Amino acid sequence: MTARGLRVAIFADEAGWHTRQLQAALRLRGAVGRCVDLADCHVDTTAAWHGLVIPGFGRELPDAAIVRGIAAGSFEQVTKRLGVLHALRELGVPVYNDARAIERSVDKSMTSLLLQAARVPAPPTWATESAAQAQRIVMRESAAGHALVLKPLFGSQGKGLQRIGCIDGTHHPLPPLQQVDGRLAYLQRFVPPQGVPGFDWRVLVVGGRAATAMRRVSEHWVHNVAQGARCVAAPLTPALAQAAEAAAAALGMDYAGVDLMPSAQGIVVLEVNGVAAWRGLQRVTSFNIAQALVADLIDRRLAQAVVRRA
């Protein structure tokens, strides 16, 4: 599909390497990418027929949008920002990934439910606001010799993770929920490393197809690049690709960074990232990832929108 003259909103709470990569990839297709903070967008039903104000686009809507980041804020602020993305989708603007997909992936409990419903292998997981119920889960798992990872329900880059339960034969108790972000327990059974040092995989899925993979290698049990893990190129095996593609499909993602681990039972999916960073992955990938994302947006999503309008 021709993209010359297309105006694309790149929604990001800060400009940086990723937004520059996307802008360069759009320029190669003859399109223009403008960075916009969703916090600066607002509703004004007197401003235009569609009722949205997107800075840099005047009274018009962008031809498409790429979501690169949504700033943290109050419940009301985040609801408004997601509402802008929902409105763009309803107005026929392709949003990559759209608000529904981002909501599914940001909420780890919803991710777990959708993976379970799609029969995608993942570690046993629990989410509860009841301190007593959470305590019973931890005690039961610990008695069976399992460790658990206590994760923030909304979180990324490996921040705020705690390992509890049975660790090296010693019981580590659940902290009081008053000290936990969100005051609820999202618990996932710890998947022990299959070797030393340990690793997990990050697989990038674009347009429903696994595109590239890497190992994130670390002596620490947290394997996020932001926490010091090393990026190592990894072959994209059929089993790895199938698991990542199934996870992305379960959440309805245009593109996704899927985190997976080897286990005694086979490959399991840990998380699905709907606003995935790819700087570390780019270092070990031979093709330009931003160009692949832009190509999928233009040649698949925008083309689908044109067909629907016709």
Side-chain angles (χ1 to χ4, degrees), residues 100-123:
R100 298 173 307 167
I102 291 171
E103 288 166 347
R104 292 166 186 153
S105 62
V106 167
D107 177 355
K108 292 185 178 67
S109 64
M110 179 56 68
T111 297
S112 298
L113 284 171
L114 292 172
L115 293 177
Q116 173 74 10
R119 302 295 184 262
V120 178

Side-chain angles (χ1 to χ4, degrees), residues 15-22 277-280 282-283 289:
W17 182 86
H18 288 88
T19 55
R20 291 193 297 272
Q21 289 280 303
L22 290 169
W278 67 86
R279 192 167 188 171
Q282 184 65 81
R283 292 198 292 266
I289 292 172

